[in-house]
C-alpha cells in the first residue's frame, strides 16, 4: 500500500508542479523544436526513473547494445502492464514516440507531456483514424524519431501468453525500411496489474533482440514480419523466465 501511495503522490505532484515546465517547453518549441524534444525527454525520463524507484522495480536489461543508435527504429514488445512504457522509455537512446490508446489523450497534463514526446493516440474502434496514426508514425520515422508499438492492441491479462500481433503496426517498418527491434518483457504484470490495486516490489527482465531489417528479408518473410517478430519475442521471453 505504501508503494502505491508513494507512486500516486509523486505522479500527481509531478504533473501539477511541472506546469511551469510545460509552459517553458512551449516557449522553447517556438524557437527550437529539437531542443524542446531533448529537454522534454530528459524531464520525463527523470520522472519515470523515480516512479520505478518508488515502486521498487528492479530491471535486468539485456541486449541494449543491439539497438541501433544511428537511425530511428520501430520497437515492438509484448504488453502486460502500464509499467511496460515506464521501463522501456528510460532506455531509449533517441526521441521515441509511443502509440497509446485514445483514452490517454483525455488525461490532463500527462497528455501534454506525451505530445511533447511525439506520442500518438490510437482509437482502436476507428479503422480510418488508425490508418492516419500509422501514416503519422511513418512520417515520424522519416524525420528521425523512433516509434514504439505494443501490437497486441491491449494489455494481455494472462501471464506467459501472447495475443496475436496486429499486422498494421508493422506498416511503419515496411514503408520506411527502418529496423524492427523486438522487446521481451518478463514479470511486469507482477508490479501492479496482477494484484490490483497494490504495487509490489518486483524483478523485471527486459531483453532487446537483434534488429530485423525488412529490406533484408525475402518476399515471403516480409509478409510474415509480425509472426517472425512475435516468435523472437517468445523465444527471449521463455528463455528469460528463469532469471525472474
Amino acid at each position: 500500500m505504501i508503494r502505491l501511495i508513494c507512486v500516486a503522490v509523486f505522479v500527481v505532484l509531478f504533473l501539477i508542479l511541472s506546469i511551469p515546465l510545460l509552459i517553458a517547453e512551449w516557449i522553447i518549441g517556438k524557437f527550437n523544436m529539437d531542443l524542446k524534444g531533448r529537454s522534454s525527454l530528459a524531464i520525463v525520463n527523470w520522472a519515470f526513473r523515480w516512479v520505478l524507484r518508488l515502486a521498487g522495480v528492479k530491471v535486468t536489461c539485456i541486449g541494449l547494445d543491439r539497438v541501433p543508435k544511428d537511425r530511428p527504429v520501430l520497437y515492438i514488445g509484448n504488453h502486460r502492464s502500464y509499467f511496460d512504457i515506464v521501463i522501456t522509455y528510460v532506455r531509449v537512446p533517441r526521441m521515441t514516440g509511443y502509440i497509446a490508446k485514445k483514452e490517454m489523450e483525455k488525461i490532463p497534463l500527462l497528455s501534454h507531456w506525451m505530445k511533447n514526446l511525439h506520442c500518438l493516440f490510437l482509437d482502436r474502434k476507428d479503422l480510418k483514424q488508425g490508418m492516419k496514426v500509422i501514416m503519422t508514425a511513418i512520417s515520424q520515422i522519416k524525420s528521425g524519431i523512433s516509434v514504439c508499438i505494443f501490437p497486441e492492441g491491449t494489455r494481455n491479462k494472462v501471464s506467459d501468453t501472447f495475443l496475436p500481433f496486429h499486422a498494421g503496426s508493422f506498416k511503419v517498418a515496411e514503408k520506411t525500411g527502418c529496423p524492427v527491434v523486438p522487446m521481451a518483457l518478463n514479470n511486469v504484470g507482477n508490479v501492479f496489474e496482477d494484484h490490483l490495486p497494490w504495487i509490489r516490489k518486483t524483478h523485471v527482465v527486459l531483453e532487446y533482440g537483434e534488429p530485423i531489417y525488412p529490406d533484408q528479408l525475402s518476399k515471403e518473410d516480409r509478409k510474415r514480419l509480425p509472426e517472425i517478430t512475435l516468435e523472437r519475442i517468445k523465444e527471449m521471453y521463455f528463455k528469460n523466465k528463469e532469471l525472474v
Side-chain angles (χ1 to χ4, degrees), residues 71 74 170-180 211-219 221-223 225:
R71 59 189 298 186
L74 174 65
F170 292 83
K171 294 292 183 185
V172 177
E174 293 170 11
K175 297 297 184 182
T176 63
C178 75
V180 175
I212 303 170
Y213 294 86
D215 55 359
Q216 295 179 7
L217 298 176
S218 66
K219 186 176 181 180
D221 281 346
R222 281 199 295 271
K223 293 178 181 178
L225 184 56

Side-chain angles (χ1 to χ4, degrees), residues 219-230:
K219 186 176 181 180
E220 282 300 313
D221 281 346
R222 281 199 295 271
K223 293 178 181 178
R224 294 186 58 251
L225 184 56
E227 290 83 3
I228 291 171
T229 307
L230 178 55

Side-chain angles (χ1 to χ4, degrees), residues 16-29:
I16 293 173
L17 297 177
S18 69
I19 292 175
L21 291 176
L22 280 172
I23 295 172
E25 293 290 86
W26 178 78
I27 296 171
I28 291 171

Side-chain angles (χ1 to χ4, degrees), residues 131-147:
M131 283 306 302
K132 287 182 179 179
V133 168
I134 294 299
M135 294 305 294
T136 302
I138 290 170
S139 298
Q140 288 189 175
I141 289 283
K142 290 180 177 179
S143 67
I145 300 168
S146 292
V147 172

Side-chain angles (χ1 to χ4, degrees), residues 80-227:
R80 283 276 287 128
S81 171
Y82 285 117
F83 276 84
D84 295 338
I85 294 98
V86 181
I87 290 165
T88 57
Y89 205 86
V90 297
R91 289 169 173 80
V92 296
R94 64 191 300 134
M95 182 60 65
T96 302
Y98 279 55
I99 293 185
K101 60 182 181 180
K102 187 71 175 176
E103 290 78 2
M104 298 292 287
E105 193 174 16
K106 300 176 182 178
I107 302 177
L109 301 176
L110 176 61
S111 61
H112 288 81
W113 281 112
M114 293 177 72
K115 289 173 182 176
N116 280 2
L117 298 172
H118 303 279
C119 292
L120 303 172
F121 301 94
L122 177 66
D123 185 347
R124 290 171 290 191
K125 299 178 182 178
D126 188 338
L127 292 178
K128 186 176 180 180
Q129 190 267 351
M131 283 306 302
K132 287 182 179 179
V133 168
I134 294 299
M135 294 305 294
T136 302
I138 290 170
S139 298
Q140 288 189 175
I141 289 283
K142 290 180 177 179
S143 67
I145 300 168
S146 292
V147 172
C148 181
I149 302 177
F150 297 101
E152 289 172 290
T154 187
R155 283 178 291 113
N156 186 358
K157 296 179 175 60
V158 183
S159 180
D160 297 341
T161 65
F162 300 82
L163 300 174
F165 280 2
H166 294 289
S169 305
F170 292 83
K171 294 292 183 185
V172 177
E174 293 170 11
K175 297 297 184 182
T176 63
C178 75
V180 175
V181 176
M183 302 186 302
L185 290 135
N186 285 71
N187 205 37
V188 189
N190 192 54
V191 179
F192 182 54
E193 280 77 6
D194 289 351
H195 39 74
L196 294 172
W198 313 122
I199 290 176
R200 288 184 181 170
K201 183 178 181 180
T202 304
H203 177 216
V204 171
V205 178
L206 163 64
E207 180 169 3
Y208 295 90
E210 292 290 346
I212 303 170
Y213 294 86
D215 55 359
Q216 295 179 7
L217 298 176
S218 66
K219 186 176 181 180
E220 282 300 313
D221 281 346
R222 281 199 295 271
K223 293 178 181 178
R224 294 186 58 251
L225 184 56
E227 290 83 3

